[in-house]
Amino acid sequence: MAAAGNVEFIRARSDKREYRRLLLPNALECLLISDADTDKAAACMEVGVGSFSDPEGLEGLAHFLEHMLFYASEKYPGEQDYTKYISEHGGSSNAFTSSETTNFYFDVNADNFEEALDRFAQFFIKPLMSQDAVLREIKAVDSEHKKNLLSDGWRMHQLQKHLASKDHPYHKFSTG
């Protein structure tokens, strides 16, 4: 990892945390935040693919892939091992797909951060996608969409998208 140059972080005077920006060899930018007074540690990964990237006829693909990454990886092949590890060590995890990005994140007891981070990273290095998981997650994404249909906020969102220009990616279907 290489330091990404001098970066000035703007923060409140009462903020005692340490900040450091790194540029990885694969060009990923990382922001490290250290707080010696906390018992939790967290990480997030945001990728530059969201619902705007869904191909015609495969609406919801980015959201589906968001779901699929949480199942298993080559290094940790047991389905739900990641989720189980995180919850057993005082943490939580989630993700969301927006128009242009997908964000994955977790928190865990600080003593378990390194192993949790390794498990998390493996989703982006060598994910496993079993046929059983594919079928379950297609149903899960569909179920989430049906639940959203009952929400006035989501219905207004879909109405706005429907009224947008058909030539703009905002017009595309998205949920989750």
Side-chain angles (χ1 to χ4, degrees), residues 103-119:
N103 186 290
F104 304 84
Y105 58 93
F106 75 92
D107 67 70
V108 69
N109 291 334
D111 293 345
N112 305 103
F113 181 68
E114 284 189 39
E115 185 172 345
L117 185 60
D118 185 55
R119 290 170 180 268

Side-chain angles (χ1 to χ4, degrees), residues 3 19 36 42 47 56 77 82 102 107 110 124 128 136 143 153-154:
Y19 294 80
V47 296
E56 190 73 33
Y82 166 76
T102 302
D107 67 70
F124 307 100
L128 295 180
R136 278 194 309 270
S143 175
W154 276 104

Side-chain angles (χ1 to χ4, degrees), residues 4 21-24 26-31 44-45:
R21 182 175 168 252
L22 298 175
L23 185 62
L24 300 179
N26 62 2
L28 284 176
E29 292 181 56
C30 296
L31 174 62
C44 100
M45 172 74 153

Side-chain angles (χ1 to χ4, degrees), residues 19 24-25 36 38 64 68 80 118 132 152-153 171:
Y19 294 80
L24 300 179
T38 187
F64 165 74
M68 287 302 298
Q80 301 298 329
D118 185 55
D132 288 345
D152 286 342
H171 182 78

